[in-house]
Amino acid sequence: MTRTSIIKISDNFDKSKHNNLICNDAFKVFSSIPNGFADHCITDPPYNISGYDFKKEIGWLKSNKYWSEQKNFNKIEESWDKFSNGDYEKFTKLWLDEIYRIVKPNGNIIIFGSYHNIYKIGYLLQRADRKIINSVVWYKRNAFPNITQRMLCESTEHIIWAVNETNKKAKNWTFNYNELKKYNTVKECSKCKKVIDSEYKFCPHCGNNIFHTKKLQLRNLWNIPSTPSGEKRHGKHPSQKPIEMLERLIVGGTKKDDIIIDPFAGSGTTAVVAKNLDRKFIAIDNNKEYCKIALNRLKDGHQQQII
Ligand SMILES: C[S@@+](CC[C@H](N)C(=O)[O-])C[C@H]1O[C@@H](n2cnc3c(N)ncnc32)[C@H](O)[C@@H]1O
């Protein structure tokens, strides 16, 4: 069957298309996608952090001069992100079960979360005996401050990188070790070969001032700022992920022409990066506005700067 490559928003999956951008409830779409059709899943599901007690927070807000002057909240409050505790676990188990079926054995399943939901997702992956190969910590150095001043400023999100196979049988998953090294370039002294801080003009170990750059294996702490406003020029999504985050995951965890499914695509960041890196995508979101943003981003050739 010949596949077509023009991207449009549709309401169901069509396997004759190279790429699918689908505006529908993911649970209505899953059944039309054959077993093992996708090579990988990279997704950022609802975190279940809405339903926040603003009234209570306002009490704290008033007790603090700085925040009462700022009057600046940065909380997600979306109907798609509200579940009762038991419902969130059921919802997560349901979509994970579909993803185990749709992704090929040994394909990567990479899931974003925060401390609110990531333990539940990790627990469900372990219960399903999926091999977890990494947990990446995304450090947002420009994270929004904690307004209550009663706890640390939450400035990380977490990404679980799992393989769609049991711990015993998992093998030959895609991990592009060498390609990922470009995201960890360091300054090395040409004389004593020690790695030194990028600000140094002279090597603190031997005094030499000749350096070269060296690419090292990538670690699992990624220091990437929150999504820059330039990436939101086609419209705002409350939890849009930075291109740079997706780029590392797609460069490291997929191959050219692989099909990546993202059942909670939002503004389409996974799809945008997949397209720019010559991968294919199945992107699903049940919100029309978000799908339009995704479509416009996909049409915009300037959305992506690859290193
Ligand atoms: C955390 S956001 C994803 C953001 C995305 N990574 C981005 O960069 O824009 C989760 C998305 O899941 C969508 N969603 C929630 N429940 C859904 C469902 N049952 N089917 C399809 N999409 C759903 C929401 O509309 C929301 O856009």
Side-chain angles (χ1 to χ4, degrees):
M1 188 182 301
T2 19
R3 290 188 165 203
T4 53
S5 57
I6 298 159
I7 303 164
K8 283 186 188 156
I9 301 174
S10 56
D11 58 10
N12 218 331
F13 171 71
D14 177 352
K15 72 174 176 190
S16 70
K17 285 185 186 165
H18 269 284
N19 294 303
N20 273 264
L21 173 60
I22 303 163
C23 187
N24 205 339
D25 186 325
F27 293 95
K28 291 188 182 151
V29 179
F30 285 143
S31 60
S32 58
I33 310 176
N35 295 359
F37 191 86
D39 295 286
H40 313 281
C41 169
I42 301 181
T43 197
D44 174 25
Y47 287 13
N48 194 22
I49 52 182
S50 296
Y52 195 74
D53 191 346
F54 278 85
K55 277 193 197 139
K56 202 169 149 202
E57 201 65 280
I58 283 162
W60 283 94
L61 184 76
K62 283 185 179 153
S63 72
N64 184 296
K65 193 169 175 295
Y66 175 70
W67 286 112
S68 54
E69 279 163 10
Q70 291 269 313
K71 289 196 177 54
N72 198 356
F73 283 98
N74 189 23
K75 288 277 175 202
I76 291 192
E77 188 56 25
E78 304 293 335
S79 56
W80 51 260
D81 190 48
K82 264 184 215 171
F83 298 80
S84 79
N85 228 12
D87 281 354
Y88 186 72
E89 198 167 315
K90 271 186 223 150
F91 161 84
T92 306
K93 186 174 179 318
L94 280 174
W95 73 258
L96 279 175
D97 284 346
E98 289 290 352
I99 289 300
Y100 302 147
R101 179 186 68 73
I102 291 167
V103 171
K104 291 189 173 82
N106 292 298
N108 287 313
I109 299 179
I110 300 177
I111 307 167
F112 282 79
S114 65
Y115 77 90
H116 309 82
N117 65 331
I118 204 72
Y119 305 115
K120 281 204 174 87
I121 294 174
Y123 164 75
L124 289 169
L125 285 164
Q126 286 177 332
R127 268 190 52 179
D129 193 19
R130 286 307 180 273
K131 184 174 178 67
I132 296 176
I133 61 162
N134 274 123
S135 149
V136 177
V137 178
W138 168 23
Y139 169 52
K140 296 179 277 187
R141 56 186 180 269
N142 58 344
F144 194 78
N146 182 285
I147 68 166
T148 69
Q149 303 183 359
R150 289 184 296 160
M151 54 197 79
L152 300 174
C153 170
E154 192 58 39
S155 48
T156 59
E157 291 193 33
H158 304 262
I159 296 102
I160 298 179
W161 186 328
V163 173
N164 194 24
E165 192 43 274
T166 60
N167 280 283
K168 263 197 179 159
K169 288 196 202 153
K171 60 175 186 194
N172 301 334
W173 55 85
T174 303
F175 182 71
N176 300 321
Y177 174 81
N178 284 319
E179 286 184 52
L180 282 170
K181 284 185 177 176
K182 66 183 167 203
Y183 302 108
N184 191 17
T185 51
V186 294
K187 190 165 167 180
E188 190 188 71
C189 171
S190 62
K191 196 169 156 199
C192 72
K193 306 286 179 212
K194 293 224 162 76
V195 170
I196 62 159
D197 259 25
S198 56
E199 303 93 65
Y200 284 123
K201 293 210 166 61
F202 294 92
C203 173
H205 305 285
C206 71
N208 176 37
N209 66 349
I210 302 170
F211 308 101
H212 49 252
T213 51
K214 194 175 175 184
K215 291 177 182 171
L216 298 182
Q217 65 177 199
L218 186 60
R219 284 147 202 262
N220 71 337
L221 175 68
W222 295 359
N223 180 346
I224 295 176
S226 309
T227 312
S229 49
E231 289 178 23
K232 297 189 175 186
R233 63 181 171 276
H234 292 293
K236 287 196 174 140
H237 185 289
S239 52
Q240 182 173 326
K241 296 296 173 285
I243 279 176
E244 202 180 334
M245 281 298 299
L246 269 303
E247 190 184 306
R248 289 185 183 197
L249 296 168
I250 291 178
V251 164
T254 71
K255 297 194 187 97
K256 196 168 170 278
D257 289 327
D258 277 354
I259 300 174
I260 304 167
I261 180 166
D262 181 353
F264 305 107
S267 63
T269 315
T270 307
V272 167
V273 180
K275 178 173 173 271
N276 287 334
L277 291 171
D278 299 319
R279 275 68 167 171
K280 300 184 182 100
F281 61 83
I282 304 168
I284 311 168
D285 203 286
N286 58 1
N287 180 306
K288 273 189 192 155
E289 289 312 307
Y290 300 157
C291 289
K292 270 190 220 154
I293 299 174
L295 181 65
N296 289 330
R297 292 181 76 197
L298 284 160
K299 287 180 175 168
D300 178 353
H302 304 287
Q303 272 289 322
Q304 168 84 325
Q305 294 283 314
I306 309 282
I307 296 181

